[in-house]
Amino acid sequence: MKQIAGWALDVCHANGVQYAEIRIVDDRQRALSTKNGKVGYVSDSESLGAGIRVLANGAWGFAATEDLTREGVEITAGRALEIARSSARVKQEDVRLAPEKAYVDEWASPCRIDPFSTSVEENIHLLLKIDAELRIVQGITLAETNLNFRRYEQWFYNTDGSDIHQTKTTVGAGYAAYAFSGSEIMKRSYPNSFGGQWQDKGYELIEELKLVENARRIAEEAVALHKADQCPAGNFDIILDSSQLGLQIHESIGHPIELDRVLGMEANFAGMSFLTIDKLRKLKYGSEIVNVVADATEAHGPGLGTFKYDDEGVPAQCTPVINNGLFTGYLSSRETAHTIGLDRSGGTMRADGWNRIPMIRMTNISILPGAKPLTLDQLIASTDYGIFFQTNRSWSIDDKRYNFQFGTEIGWEIKAGKLGRMLKNPSYSGITTEFWNSMDAICSRDEWTLWGTPNCGKGQPQQVMGTGHGASPARFKRVKVGTAYKA
Amino acid sequence: MLTKDKAQSIFARVLKFSSADETELLISGGRSALTRFANNAITQNVAEENYTLSVRVNVNGRTARATTNKFDDESIRRVVEAATNLAKVQAPDPDLLPMADASAFDGKGPAPARNFFETSTMGPQERADAVEKIVQVAHKQKLTTAGIYSTSESVDAILNSSGLVAYYTQTSAECSITMLAPDSSGWQKANSPDARNFDPVQLAEIAAQKAKASAGPQDLAPGKYTVILEPAAVLDLLGFIFWDWGGQAILDERSFLNNRVGTKLFGENISISDDVYHPLQSGAPFDGEGVRRQRVLLVEKGVVSNLVYARGTAEKVRKSEFADKVGPVRATGHGFPIPNEIGEMPMNIVLYSGVAGKSRTVDEMIGGTDEGILVTRLWYIREVDPYEKILTGMTRDGTFLVKDGQIRGGIRNFRFNQSMVALLNNVLEMGEPVRASGEESFDMVVPAMKIRDFNFTEVTKF
């Protein structure tokens, strides 16, 4: 790989570029699924190629190729250079990169059981066992399961002298049970919706998730939702389970703190952010107990946003984003660091493959658990009246990240400190800062889960990235509930 | 560009390594380039060339797929072996059909020509020229612009051991422009196989005009309003209903059309076809199995008349309890590559403009509106209810109050929660269908629409 990188960087050196980097990526994936007792999808895929990013004449160029011969790599480097020079024709100012040291290092995400060492027969057997448990429940009309493995190996070299080899192993699994009856389709998912739980771990994740053990309960809940009452509309105290709080963080904290979005670079597609630079260290984002970090370090856990170096060779860091309610930090890059007075990137540049340019992405954006011991049962017990929301069903937020609306698969009424009747079609909505300032309780570490969101879309051409979100259940006061279903 | 001859020679190498009962090769990829700009400058500028070879094998009634982007003999041998090994460990699938033979796509039908030299040869300098002109419009209007200009040349090929050879290549050009003012914005987007079919400067000028006209947005209370949706907003909403339009969705009982095929579900003025051969459409004239796509009338005067089917789905539906509840059942050439869970869907939508001779321009719709909202674009649309097809989302980049037949300035953006079933019963007027491009769904040929009682539930802060 070093030789391939040398071909590219030699072309760049010879042409006097300001900076260049090459990422060579070998990406292997396995995807399996079942549907109603049959194997739905079985596939293996691999993709190998190189992306070359060049800074010349104060502007960026990027070209990617699957052709890793000397000729292919040199042509691609030349193309990246030509593109950079074209970019320079339409610029307002030269790109300024924050300095960064050169690193020579090797890292692999912790993985106890290599998922690719497990047999496909074993994988299918597990999924069909879950499927059988789901469909044993009368009223289930569709059962779907999925299991996904990925090994993402990257070699990074740049003109500063970095030589970094990283390997990430990712495992994801989940299932959903649907019940169609009359004029309603009800659905329950486990451990989370839209693909389940994903972490940078080995097959040991599958053993931890207790997939089979929860299947029958989930199917029974899907059927029971048909007899459940409609979630009432009004302003109520609400408790979000940790997976829904994870998505709430993703949409209403994770995206607004992306500095490229704040600076208008995403204005045409993903949108901008209400979190303008003047709000840094001034805005009261949330209540006193809201503490959020952007933490890509291994110490944070096996999140989809964990790495040792980002995709422009900057070491992983933990950035305080909200400290006791005060907004304290953005996600930044070498190019954007200076706009907020930093002399170094926050290390959040990531690309979803060899053929895509790195951009500012969420790492692990997590809310820290409450300092005092508090279980979910105790949180419910301390709530007079409220709604408990479980497992996301729909999500939407405006392009500056103020107004959001979420629906969950199931809700439960809380009365006098006890979980009461099941509620169907629960939804809630609000304005980001008002919502986070209404948080009055959060459960402690024992209830904290580091969730994986494998499908975060951003950029043009669009890139799909995995992000991590640690959360424990939390309570919010007087939130608007039920607008989605008001005729 | 990967030619048909090259595709055939790769397939010959695939066959050499395969001992499966049947073998299929799907090739997709091509060259693409995209120039991205923001803050009146080019911020990203990328190009790539990549092809994937995806091999499917059938072994004793089992099927599986493996994919690579490497073309050497060893990689091809490994991908065939991987697909074969994945197939062998499964139980036989009684519903698995033999692969389509050469008659499925025999080259006798229409072959829309959508590969344009002027688009395929466009380089970074020409894209920079276009962006420079867009930025000039922004400077002239004292606005800030962001957007993309992209071009591509792509290949889709399917070859199998039953003699099927389907190959298609096309070009695509796309330009999306946002113009930003201090408290407002405007947007325009166009996409075509031929870059000469749209003018980036004209798009920039319309986006700029919208940004300026929506400055100082007023607060309007949420509620039910008459709306005029521009074509991009129409397609971004409607895209969500077509995932339910295949036979497999009916078999899975996840479709809002379960128990509704053959009924008059929408207004009399709604007729929709899937037609890859329409002059404003794009895409290959064959599906993921290499079967020729057919024109299918999906909705006729409000009645859900036909679903689309992959070959295997059509067989399954014929044998199912749904056989006599879903209208004509036949393979229509809308399947995704096998194996997959979705089955099929129509992706070349053409929505006709209501009653012939009664189409209205957007200006005419505005002129005939006492009070309403003009919507340029929608954003972050998600499904809230799968059977009533309630969708939520936001307006964006140019939302205007219409009063007494005139635009009366911009308004703050709304959140909506709107049933698509209800919406397609409330269409008052339509324009001429145009090729439209949004961000939430695939490109379609749709008209602007004037719709009553559109349900805005909340208002945001800008």
Side-chain angles (χ1 to χ4, degrees), chain A residues 462-473:
Chain A
Q462 192 169 16
Q463 299 189 38
V464 177
M465 184 56 71
T467 63
H469 304 290
S472 40

Side-chain angles (χ1 to χ4, degrees), chain A residues 19 53-55 58-61 91-100 259-260 263 265 310 312 314 331-349 357-360, chain B residues 38-39 41-45:
Chain A
Y19 171 82
R53 189 169 71 137
V54 170
L55 181 62
W60 287 115
K91 66 179 177 185
Q92 297 296 313
E93 57 183 26
D94 286 355
V95 170
R96 290 161 53 191
L97 291 185
E100 189 60 53
L259 194 48
D260 55 348
L263 297 173
M265 293 174 184
D310 77 354
E312 54 179 7
V314 177
L331 302 174
S332 63
S333 62
R334 292 185 67 183
E335 182 180 351
T336 59
H338 73 92
T339 64
I340 51 170
L342 296 179
D343 55 13
R344 189 185 185 207
S345 162
T348 67
M349 289 286 272
I357 198 164
M359 54 171 40
I360 291 177
Chain B
N39 297 317
I42 291 175
T43 53
Q44 287 180 30
N45 211 341

Side-chain angles (χ1 to χ4, degrees), chain A residues 24-294:
Chain A
I24 305 164
V25 174
D26 191 357
D27 188 2
R28 182 181 176 197
Q29 301 189 44
R30 179 182 295 171
L32 300 116
S33 72
T34 65
K35 190 165 77 173
N36 281 353
K38 285 174 62 174
V39 172
Y41 192 86
V42 183
S43 82
D44 262 359
S45 69
E46 58 179 23
S47 182
L48 174 70
I52 301 167
R53 189 169 71 137
V54 170
L55 181 62
N57 297 0
W60 287 115
F62 177 85
T65 184
E66 74 209 356
D67 180 359
L68 299 185
T69 62
R70 179 170 193 153
E71 185 188 8
V73 170
E74 288 180 347
I75 287 172
T76 305
R79 189 174 295 147
L81 197 61
E82 182 197 359
I83 290 172
R85 287 176 177 151
S86 300
S87 303
R89 284 182 40 207
V90 188
K91 66 179 177 185
Q92 297 296 313
E93 57 183 26
D94 286 355
V95 170
R96 290 161 53 191
L97 291 185
E100 189 60 53
K101 288 187 211 160
Y103 301 92
V104 178
D105 204 353
E106 193 137 345
W107 177 79
S109 63
C111 170
R112 191 162 57 80
I113 304 169
D114 177 2
F116 291 98
S117 73
T118 62
S119 72
V120 176
E121 292 101 314
E122 180 188 345
N123 302 154
I124 291 174
H125 176 74
L126 170 69
L127 296 184
L128 288 175
K129 198 169 169 187
I130 296 164
D131 175 278
E133 281 291 304
L134 295 172
R135 287 186 306 120
I136 209 166
V137 175
Q138 202 163 12
I140 292 300
T141 49
L142 174 62
E144 291 178 332
T145 73
N146 66 278
L147 184 58
N148 301 75
F149 308 147
R150 185 179 196 187
R151 173 157 300 123
Y152 189 88
E153 190 169 9
Q154 174 170 290
W155 294 262
F156 174 94
Y157 304 88
N158 68 11
T159 46
D160 296 338
S162 279
D163 173 346
I164 300 165
H165 177 208
Q166 297 189 98
T167 305
K168 282 181 69 151
T169 303
T170 303
V171 168
Y175 53 83
Y178 296 76
F180 172 58
S181 178
S183 62
E184 288 183 314
I185 301 169
M186 290 299 172
K187 176 190 176 193
R188 284 291 285 130
S189 308
Y190 182 87
N192 200 355
S193 48
F194 306 106
Q197 168 66 317
W198 295 59
Q199 288 189 331
D200 282 352
K201 261 189 175 177
Y203 197 78
E204 61 270 19
L205 174 68
I206 303 304
E207 294 167 357
E208 293 164 13
L209 290 176
K210 300 193 185 314
L211 296 166
V212 177
E213 293 86 333
N214 282 282
R216 200 169 299 194
R217 171 181 64 83
I218 286 295
E220 286 167 354
E221 286 180 357
V223 173
L225 277 165
H226 280 284
K227 291 185 179 163
D229 293 329
Q230 175 70 29
C231 181
N235 289 318
F236 306 120
D237 294 353
I238 68 169
I239 294 174
L240 304 183
D241 77 349
S242 69
S243 66
Q244 175 56 32
L245 188 59
L247 189 60
Q248 178 79 48
I249 293 166
H250 179 99
E251 299 292 355
S252 66
I253 297 177
H255 280 304
I257 62 173
E258 293 164 343
L259 194 48
D260 55 348
R261 181 190 283 270
V262 173
L263 297 173
M265 293 174 184
E266 292 289 328
N268 177 249
F269 178 60
M272 295 180 66
S273 172
F274 72 93
L275 217 50
T276 46
I277 287 171
D278 56 298
K279 294 186 173 69
L280 184 62
R281 290 182 280 276
K282 289 183 185 138
L283 176 75
K284 191 170 176 292
Y285 208 119
S287 64
E288 288 286 317
I289 57 168
V290 176
N291 289 287
V292 175
V293 293

Side-chain angles (χ1 to χ4, degrees), chain B residues 380-434:
Chain B
Y380 222 133
I381 305 170
R382 291 293 182 275
E383 185 177 88
V384 169
D385 185 292
Y387 200 71
E388 290 311 310
K389 272 283 174 278
I390 297 172
L391 305 181
T392 190
M394 300 293 303
T395 65
R396 177 178 175 182
D397 296 330
T399 309
F400 298 92
L401 174 64
V402 177
K403 215 160 189 179
D404 302 326
Q406 289 191 319
I407 289 176
R408 303 285 186 181
I411 55 172
R412 289 184 196 275
N413 287 295
F414 278 126
R415 170 169 299 287
F416 62 86
N417 281 277
Q418 174 64 50
S419 157
M420 291 301 101
V421 177
L423 180 142
L424 289 172
N425 276 288
N426 290 346
V427 177
L428 302 170
E429 293 176 344
M430 282 183 263
E432 283 299 318
V434 297

Side-chain angles (χ1 to χ4, degrees), chain A residues 392-411:
Chain A
N392 183 264
R393 185 184 184 192
S394 69
W395 68 103
S396 174
I397 189 163
D398 71 43
D399 60 284
K400 289 189 179 169
R401 305 275 152 179
Y402 277 119
N403 176 281
F404 61 79
Q405 178 181 297
F406 291 96
T408 60
E409 291 181 349
I410 193 168

